[in-house]
Amino acid sequence: MQNKSGHSNITLYLILAAIVLGFILGHYYPYTALELKFLGDIFLNALFMLVVPLVVASMITGITRLGRIAKLGTLGIKTLFYYLTTTGISVIIGIVLVNILQPGTGVTREQDYHPDSPYAIHATPLRGGSELRLIGEGDNFYATDYTSKFIIVLLDQNVKGIIDDKAKATDRRIPIEYWVDAEGRKVEPDVSGRGVQVRLADKEFSFIDVLIGLIPKNIFGAAVNNNILPLIVFSLIFGAILTSLGEKGVPVVQLFEGLNEAFMKFIQILMYFAPLGILGLVAARLGQAELTLEGGFLTEVTRMAKYFSTVIIGLLIHAVFVLAPILFIFGRRSVLPYLANVSPALLTAFSTASSSATLPVTLESVEKKNKVSNRTAGFVLPLGATINMDGTALYEAVAAIFIAQVYNVPLGFGEQVIIFLTATLAAIGAAGIPEAGLVTMVIVLKAVGLPTEGIAMILAIDWFLDRCRTTVNVWGDSVGAAVIDVWERNGNVRGTK
Ligand code: ASP
């Protein structure tokens, strides 16, 4: 036992050291840091390799251990209650903070809206596709790190270009994969004109589509695409059926229990390599930021200091003054040991910016180290990784109101309520992958009529805030597992703590 916890402590220190070293390398030796990217990629691949099998195995064993399937209903309701209240609280913290600190007042409105600028479109035969160039003297794009989440609009032609993120943009040129007209048909636009704007791609979020998406057409297709929600639904139903089979179901249940144990072991072994992987992830991302941002990452953070610190302070308040007391009071756990045990998961979340990629580590830390029952953790954590995102929700609200402040759009109480609702929704809808929250922010911005091109201002530092909010997302899931475990035990065994 001594030896075991000694081991995990060493891994933890090594991970911390890797993060510090990653920052130093990324800052001072960005080129060397970029060379280390492969270490991060290997680690990330290994994590993703385990996500799908672990989700299925841990969900199925969790469900079958519930005993009676009627309990699934109460477990589900308690879990949703926890997710919604904590997410709601975090959005409120965000809204209050951003209204008090006013990070957007006095900030210059940096955006890529160039209504009069002349442009030219050039074919890029080698890559396939084309390139939009600003040709007016002194015209340039404010941000250059646009990805395919953005579109460029030719204002005079009403044609949209889908940005190609495999090619490099500069402050005068943006690579385009293809162009579409207002109806979404592919077109070849006129090669010159006036007026361009870059904004977030429109994304229609429909409740019906989400519902349809929950049922996979092909279970392996969902697995291949790391589509976690449909896999959860499948595993839920499958686990429920297994428990109703009696004798015949037993060997199958045992098989999944064995698989679950094996995957847990797998993740424990993988964690020995975590320090190296995390070093690669942190160093390479910072290195990239240092090389692409004018004046480097710190200059950009300083420029955006007020917005940056509003998000960080909000996240800290939620993690320390909301989630930690919830863990202590409702989860009946001492916060520090619990935190120490899940910190490999939190640091992995910080390094990968993905709750889904972190899920194997979260499951291992919560079940094996913090001894939360597999019955609860197996259900609460996979579901939480995709829908319970306190950090993301807080960030969405702060970012949207920040944009409103910069654009001088006054937001009344009613609008703030709409932001509260849509930020919660946008966080639920965001997948557990890097920068997912940035995309679903369209929901929030559109709901209150804010300009989606305002996102350009927060883009350059978003990768870092993404890591911070993902850490809080995973902390929220881990705390939830402990709390719901207590609620479950109280519901099952009367009088026992
Ligand atoms: N990257 C976040 C996560 O995986 C989601 C987001 O806020 O973009 O939890």
Side-chain angles (χ1 to χ4, degrees):
M1 196 68 205
Q2 183 85 48
N3 190 17
K4 215 174 152 201
S5 71
H7 258 308
S8 50
N9 275 346
I10 293 173
T11 315
L12 185 57
Y13 295 139
L14 284 176
I15 293 178
L16 281 171
I19 292 184
V20 175
L21 189 63
F23 273 108
I24 296 174
L25 272 179
H27 183 65
Y28 291 106
Y29 307 98
Y31 287 103
T32 318
L34 280 183
E35 301 273 319
L36 296 181
K37 186 169 178 293
F38 77 98
L39 288 174
D41 289 344
I42 293 176
F43 182 56
L44 210 55
N45 280 356
L47 284 174
F48 269 120
M49 168 178 83
L50 288 172
V51 170
V52 167
L54 246 179
V55 165
V56 175
S58 77
M59 265 274 170
I60 292 179
T61 45
I63 300 300
T64 51
R65 280 181 190 160
L66 279 176
R68 278 182 309 113
I69 222 49
K71 287 196 193 128
L72 186 58
T74 51
L75 175 63
I77 290 170
K78 287 170 189 164
T79 308
L80 288 183
F81 175 77
Y82 171 85
Y83 290 166
L84 285 177
T85 32
T86 48
T87 306
I89 295 172
S90 79
V91 183
I92 292 175
I93 295 176
I95 293 184
V96 171
L97 260 189
V98 73
N99 277 296
I100 297 175
L101 298 178
Q102 297 278 334
T105 348
V107 172
T108 30
R109 188 186 299 180
E110 307 280 14
Q111 54 176 338
D112 278 317
Y113 178 51
H114 310 273
D116 304 314
S117 304
Y119 63 80
I121 296 168
H122 292 259
T124 47
L126 271 184
R127 177 171 57 81
S130 57
E131 179 174 88
L132 180 125
R133 298 185 190 165
L134 286 181
I135 50 177
E137 202 165 317
D139 284 338
N140 52 355
F141 290 110
Y142 165 67
T144 54
D145 40 5
Y146 291 118
T147 60
S148 52
K149 296 178 180 111
F150 290 83
I151 50 170
I152 188 158
V153 186
L154 305 179
L155 296 168
D156 53 343
Q157 306 189 44
N158 197 14
V159 166
K160 296 178 205 159
I162 312 301
I163 295 180
D164 187 350
D165 40 15
K166 287 185 289 303
K168 232 182 116 30
T170 69
D171 63 352
R172 299 267 286 175
R173 301 166 180 210
I174 290 193
I176 306 294
E177 212 177 318
Y178 58 90
W179 299 91
V180 292
D181 64 11
E183 275 76 50
R185 285 182 300 250
K186 279 196 182 179
V187 285
E188 291 298 331
D190 296 341
V191 294
S192 62
R194 258 175 198 278
V196 296
Q197 175 188 35
V198 188
R199 58 175 165 80
L200 265 180
D202 300 307
K203 215 169 174 253
E204 293 302 326
F205 291 91
S206 103
F207 181 65
I208 300 285
D209 285 347
V210 173
L211 217 57
I212 295 175
L214 285 181
I215 310 297
K217 202 181 326 174
N218 179 331
I219 190 70
F220 296 102
V224 166
N225 295 318
N226 272 322
N227 244 341
I228 311 286
L229 270 184
L231 285 177
I232 289 179
V233 174
F234 174 83
S235 314
L236 262 176
I237 301 173
F238 191 70
I241 291 174
L242 277 182
T243 45
S244 71
L245 289 187
E247 279 293 293
K248 284 228 168 103
V250 174
V252 188
V253 173
Q254 283 171 342
L255 170 73
F256 278 102
E257 283 178 353
L259 286 174
N260 195 36
E261 283 305 310
F263 293 135
M264 287 285 181
K265 192 87 205 166
F266 208 142
I267 189 74
Q268 280 167 5
I269 296 169
L270 177 61
M271 284 317 277
Y272 288 118
F273 299 95
L276 274 183
I278 284 176
L279 170 70
L281 286 168
V282 174
R285 189 59 188 86
L286 183 64
Q288 184 194 335
E290 294 290 7
L291 293 175
T292 49
L293 293 175
E294 226 179 282
F297 177 64
L298 278 183
T299 317
E300 189 62 28
V301 170
T302 322
R303 219 178 54 74
M304 297 292 286
K306 263 181 122 182
Y307 162 73
F308 186 84
S309 39
T310 309
V311 177
I312 300 282
I313 294 172
L315 291 176
L316 278 174
I317 292 181
H318 186 67
V320 177
F321 296 109
V322 177
L323 291 175
I326 288 183
L327 175 67
F328 182 71
I329 297 167
F330 298 104
R332 297 185 198 154
R333 301 283 190 137
S334 313
V335 175
L336 287 181
Y338 195 89
L339 174 70
N341 284 334
V342 294
S343 42
L346 302 184
L347 296 172
T348 307
F350 179 81
S351 318
T352 58
S354 165
S355 304
S356 297
T358 310
L359 181 59
V361 192
T362 323
L363 275 165
E364 203 269 335
S365 315
V366 169
E367 268 183 42
K368 295 286 171 202
K369 301 221 186 75
N370 274 328
K371 307 279 180 243
V372 171
S373 75
N374 159 263
R375 214 175 42 194
T376 331
F379 178 81
V380 174
L381 295 177
L383 204 58
T386 45
I387 65 176
N388 181 42
M389 299 198 180
D390 297 5
T392 301
L394 184 145
Y395 145 85
E396 305 245 2
V398 171
I401 299 179
F402 167 76
I403 290 173
Q405 290 169 350
V406 175
Y407 280 77
N408 265 326
V409 180
L411 295 175
F413 183 72
E415 273 119 352
Q416 308 241 9
V417 172
I418 294 179
I419 290 188
F420 168 78
L421 293 175
T422 48
T424 309
L425 209 72
I428 295 175
I433 53 172
E435 307 266 274
L438 193 70
V439 184
T440 57
M441 195 145 60
V442 151
I443 307 179
V444 188
L445 295 176
K446 287 216 156 161
V448 282
L450 288 169
T452 44
E453 67 271 17
I455 296 261
M457 293 182 296
I458 56 172
L459 196 58
I461 52 169
D462 198 67
W463 67 272
F464 188 84
L465 293 178
D466 187 14
R467 282 151 197 254
C468 301
R469 61 188 192 247
T470 308
T471 311
V472 175
N473 291 346
V474 172
W475 176 230
D477 297 339
S478 312
V479 169
V483 170
I484 295 159
D485 203 33
V486 169
W487 289 346
E488 271 303 290
R489 266 183 292 148
N490 284 353
N492 287 339
V493 190
R494 238 167 271 267
T496 344
K497 280 209 170 172

